[in-house]
Amino acid sequence: MIRRGVPRLAGYPKASFHEQNVNPFSNVQWQSSPFLKKNLPKTDVFAEEHVSMNALSVFDMEKGNWFVIDAFNKSVGSLSVCISRLLQGKYRVDYNSNRVNSSSVIVVNAIHVKFYGHTWDTKVYKFPRKSHSKGHKILTCKTVFARNPSMIINLAVKRMLPNNRLRQIYYRKLFVYPGALHPHWGIPQVIVPKKIETNNQQDNANSFTII
């Protein structure tokens, strides 16, 4: 029996996430991306211009230390290393590996993270399924990112944390959001309007840069 839908899907131009046709023999290689440009979140025409502070730290003795990070155009590996060190409190002078400090990390713009080369297509995630006839569920990085953009950073940070009883406690202090704003009350936003100029000494002291 011949299925009529198969040849149509094979030649359908929107069946893949790629914006252009892939030619492996060309001099300039393509770089895979998970979303088409038209599917990315768009900014309203009447919206005010905003600027990113890249990273912001808020030190509060009652709520604990909070770090707000903008993941726009950041590499997943470098960003995850920085987040894992902040969650474990390795920046503190009184760091101790068997003690949990009160540091939490908020990541925004997770939908704009980047991988180099063909990582979107070659990197795979294996999710174990017990007593399943087909075994583990294997998904590419592009598929996982299309279903949940925050899962890429969550999995990267979780696997960088130490594999002990404190791992789940550290992981609960991580909050990743695909958009540019976070819903935490009392914590300042890292994406601020362009009209507001933060040139105070306190803001400069509490801000840091992620390379």
Side-chain angles (χ1 to χ4, degrees):
M1 181 178 179
I2 300 176
R3 297 181 180 179
R4 297 180 179 179
V6 174
R8 294 182 181 179
L9 291 177
Y12 191 62
K14 296 182 181 180
S16 175
F17 288 101
H18 302 293
E19 299 181 15
Q20 299 177 358
N21 296 329
V22 179
N23 184 10
F25 302 102
S26 61
N27 295 328
V28 181
Q29 292 293 331
W30 53 274
Q31 185 174 1
S32 59
S33 58
F35 291 124
L36 295 172
K37 292 183 179 180
K38 62 180 181 180
N39 293 335
L40 288 174
K42 299 179 181 179
T43 308
D44 191 2
V45 181
F46 300 99
E48 299 179 357
E49 295 184 0
H50 286 67
V51 64
S52 174
M53 301 177 66
N54 291 330
L56 184 68
S57 58
V58 180
F59 297 97
D60 191 353
M61 298 302 296
E62 297 180 359
K63 299 181 180 179
N65 301 336
W66 288 79
F67 299 93
V68 189
I69 300 175
D70 183 13
F72 182 80
N73 204 20
K74 296 288 192 308
S75 175
V76 176
S78 302
L79 182 63
S80 302
V81 170
C82 180
I83 294 173
S84 62
R85 293 180 62 88
L86 292 176
L87 290 174
Q88 299 177 60
K90 290 188 175 181
Y91 65 94
R92 298 168 61 100
V93 181
D94 56 346
Y95 165 72
N96 195 351
S97 60
N98 60 358
R99 189 186 67 178
V100 178
N101 61 345
S102 57
S103 298
S104 303
V105 179
I106 301 173
V107 182
V108 298
N109 277 335
I111 199 173
H112 295 291
V113 294
K114 65 178 181 179
F115 276 116
Y116 294 99
H118 297 187
T119 311
W120 288 112
D121 297 319
T122 57
K123 183 177 178 60
V124 295
Y125 292 92
K126 183 171 66 174
F127 300 95
R129 298 182 293 184
K130 296 182 179 179
S131 64
H132 199 276
S133 59
K134 295 183 180 180
H136 301 298
K137 189 177 185 65
I138 300 177
L139 299 175
T140 60
C141 183
K142 182 184 297 184
T143 305
V144 175
F145 192 81
R147 295 182 180 181
N148 186 2
S150 303
M151 189 177 293
I152 298 295
I153 298 180
N154 281 324
L155 292 176
V157 174
K158 185 177 182 179
R159 295 174 181 180
M160 288 184 182
L161 294 174
N163 191 9
N164 51 25
R165 295 183 179 180
L166 302 179
R167 183 181 191 178
Q168 195 65 22
I169 301 177
Y170 290 140
Y171 185 61
R172 291 175 183 173
K173 295 179 178 293
L174 175 63
F175 306 92
V176 184
Y177 301 99
L181 302 177
H182 64 81
H184 296 269
W185 183 263
I187 306 298
Q189 300 286 345
V190 71
I191 309 295
V192 296
K194 196 173 183 180
K195 295 181 180 180
I196 301 177
E197 297 180 359
T198 56
N199 295 328
N200 299 331
Q201 296 180 358
Q202 182 178 1
D203 295 339
N204 294 333
N206 294 340
S207 61
F208 59 98
T209 305
I210 296 179
I211 301 176

